[in-house]
Amino acid sequence: MPFDPDKHHRRSIRLKGYDYSQPGANFVTINTYLDQKLFGEVVNGQIELNNYGHIVKREWLQTANIRGNVELDVFVVMPDHFHGVLVILEDERGTMHRARTRSEAFGNPTPGSLPTIVRSFKSAVTRQIRKLSERDSLCVWHRGYYEHVVRNEEELNRIREY
């Protein structure tokens, strides 16, 4: 059966025309594939991370270490998903990014953008978990992720409490 873009196009949840590489806070939620409880378990109301969960935590913290324009806020690794607030900062010169002339697309990533950062994080976690599990085809993450552009301090505080 030939590919039909009208039948197979997934609806984007991204803000139309928004530059996801511009400075600001973003709340992301990434679920495991088929909601597998891969990263640990909740015991007495506290998450106890397993080896895979520690990989997720380590790679998230590494995100800010390898990207000078990223600052991490609150985050939590749950057994079957991850929540985190990531802040994209102004560039090193203290200037705002100009709006991109091209949009993010498959095979055409925008360096420093939220989709590129999340894609790199998911990829690094998957690679390390597959190596540890010795299963090259292990699916770790759900295909997409949820993101929310944090619009003000009040909203950020609500997310932090969540």
Side-chain angles (χ1 to χ4, degrees):
M1 176 179 283
F3 177 76
D4 181 351
D6 294 327
K7 282 184 161 180
H8 295 93
H9 181 71
R10 294 186 322 152
R11 192 177 121 270
S12 176
I13 62 168
R14 297 204 176 115
L15 293 174
K16 194 166 184 75
Y18 184 79
D19 177 4
Y20 280 93
S21 65
Q22 73 181 352
N26 299 275
F27 174 60
V28 297
T29 299
I30 311 170
N31 293 327
T32 59
Y33 181 70
L34 299 177
D35 298 320
Q36 302 169 90
K37 297 197 181 335
L38 290 176
F39 306 139
E41 60 183 327
V42 177
V43 178
N44 297 322
Q46 296 292 316
I47 182 72
E48 290 187 6
L49 298 178
N50 60 23
N51 289 339
Y52 296 169
H54 285 290
I55 289 171
V56 173
K57 181 179 178 179
R58 186 175 59 242
E59 283 304 317
W60 185 251
L61 293 172
Q62 203 46 19
T63 298
N65 291 335
I66 62 176
R67 292 177 177 82
N69 69 324
V70 169
E71 186 177 280
L72 302 177
D73 201 289
V74 296
F75 71 93
V76 63
V77 180
M78 298 299 290
D80 62 351
H81 66 282
F82 169 85
H83 293 294
V85 174
L86 179 142
V87 181
I88 297 177
L89 305 170
E90 294 177 351
D91 69 18
E92 297 79 34
R93 298 177 305 270
T95 57
M96 300 290 280
H97 292 272
R98 292 188 181 272
R100 303 283 178 190
T101 55
R102 61 181 174 87
S103 60
E104 180 91 18
F106 181 76
N108 192 18
T110 301
S113 69
L114 182 65
T116 300
I117 293 166
V118 171
R119 185 179 310 112
S120 297
F121 165 71
K122 288 172 66 174
S123 176
V125 168
T126 298
R127 196 171 36 255
Q128 289 186 42
I129 288 177
R130 284 179 176 172
K131 185 176 180 180
L132 185 64
S133 73
E134 298 179 354
R135 291 177 51 205
D136 289 339
S137 62
L138 177 67
C139 290
V140 176
W141 299 109
H142 180 69
R143 182 175 176 181
Y145 63 95
Y146 169 81
E147 93 245 336
H148 175 77
V149 176
V150 180
R151 292 177 174 82
N152 56 50
E153 195 71 28
E154 180 182 323
E155 192 172 57
L156 179 59
N157 289 330
R158 273 196 311 270
I159 291 168
R160 286 173 175 153
E161 289 297 314
Y162 172 72

